[in-house]
């Protein structure tokens, strides 16, 4: 598309002919193809440079880690909760099992015992009891070894035993 300007003098003289002159400067008429070529090459070289920098700065491969494996011969752990003493006219005990779930038990007679077995490598548990009698004691055994033991002797006695890691 060429822009055209009409000759002002020809119009004033009454001549209906118009003289066409290009509005685009001569340097642009001659140099548009080299300018477009230079711009295209610059964009291409810039794109390749960005791609190469991005490719070189990518992180290396991630090392995979094997999943934890249980030892070939693993002995399951057995945890025993015990509450003993004189319940008087009743009592209440609460304990947290090896999976971390709390349990509540109303007690009418003692001794009380509960055993759980697990293959977990680390186990924790707790037991607490309160009786309307005069004395109460608790004990937590892991693999038949006493890990925690407490007792209390007074009116409405209460006691807590806890194993944090076994």
């Amino acid at each position: 598309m060429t822009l055209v300007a009409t000759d002002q003098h020809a119009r004033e003289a009454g001549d209906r002919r118009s003289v066409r002159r290009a509005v685009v400067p001569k340097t642009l008429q001659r140099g548009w193809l080299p300018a477009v070529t230079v711009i295209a090459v610059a964009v291409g070289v810039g794109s390749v440079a960005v791609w190469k920098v991005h490719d070189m700065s990518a992180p290396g491969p991630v090392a995979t880690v094997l999943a934890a494996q249980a030892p070939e011969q693993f002995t399951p752990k057995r945890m025993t909760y015990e509450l003993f003493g004189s319940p008087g006219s009743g009592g209440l005990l609460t304990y947290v099992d090896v999976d971390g779930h709390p349990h509540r038990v109303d007690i009418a007679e003692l001794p009380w015992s509960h055993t759980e077995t697990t293959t977990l490598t680390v186990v924790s548990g707790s037991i607490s009891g309160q009786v309307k009698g005069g004395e109460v004691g608790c004990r937590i055994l892991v693999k038949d070894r006493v890990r925690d033991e407490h007792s209390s002797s007074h009116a409405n006695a209460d006691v807590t035993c806890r194993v944090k890691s076994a």
Side-chain angles (χ1 to χ4, degrees):
M1 178 171 131
T2 305
L3 297 177
V4 180
T6 58
D7 189 16
Q8 194 71 15
H9 297 295
R11 218 188 250 178
E12 290 172 2
D15 191 3
R16 288 216 167 273
R17 290 180 293 146
S18 61
V19 177
R20 292 184 178 222
R21 285 186 301 161
V23 180
V24 180
K26 280 208 178 244
T27 56
L28 199 56
Q29 284 179 355
R30 284 189 224 143
W32 72 270
L33 187 59
V36 169
T37 304
V38 167
I39 291 171
V41 168
V43 168
V45 168
S47 298
V48 169
V50 167
W51 174 62
K52 281 295 190 182
V53 167
H54 181 62
D55 194 37
M56 289 188 310
S57 64
V62 177
T64 58
V65 178
L66 294 176
Q69 297 177 352
E72 290 180 19
Q73 293 180 342
F74 183 72
T75 309
K77 290 186 181 180
R78 191 173 72 240
M79 181 176 275
T80 304
Y81 305 88
E82 294 180 353
L83 193 69
F84 53 88
S86 60
S89 59
L92 171 72
L93 77 86
T94 58
Y95 70 95
V96 178
D97 65 15
V98 294
D99 295 320
H101 301 120
H103 300 275
R104 177 182 167 160
V105 179
D106 291 319
I107 52 175
E109 60 182 43
L110 290 177
W112 176 91
S113 179
H114 175 74
T115 302
E116 295 185 0
T117 304
T118 183
T119 57
L120 295 173
T121 54
V122 177
V123 179
S124 62
S126 69
I127 183 172
S128 63
Q130 181 177 6
V131 295
K132 294 179 184 172
E135 65 180 68
V136 67
C138 66
R139 184 181 303 129
I140 297 180
L141 296 95
V142 178
K143 292 184 180 180
D144 295 326
R145 281 188 38 224
V146 176
R147 294 295 302 263
D148 195 17
E149 182 173 7
H150 295 282
S151 62
S152 177
S153 59
H154 56 80
N156 296 326
D158 63 316
V159 69
T160 300
C161 291
R162 198 174 294 132
V163 173
K164 293 182 181 178
S165 178

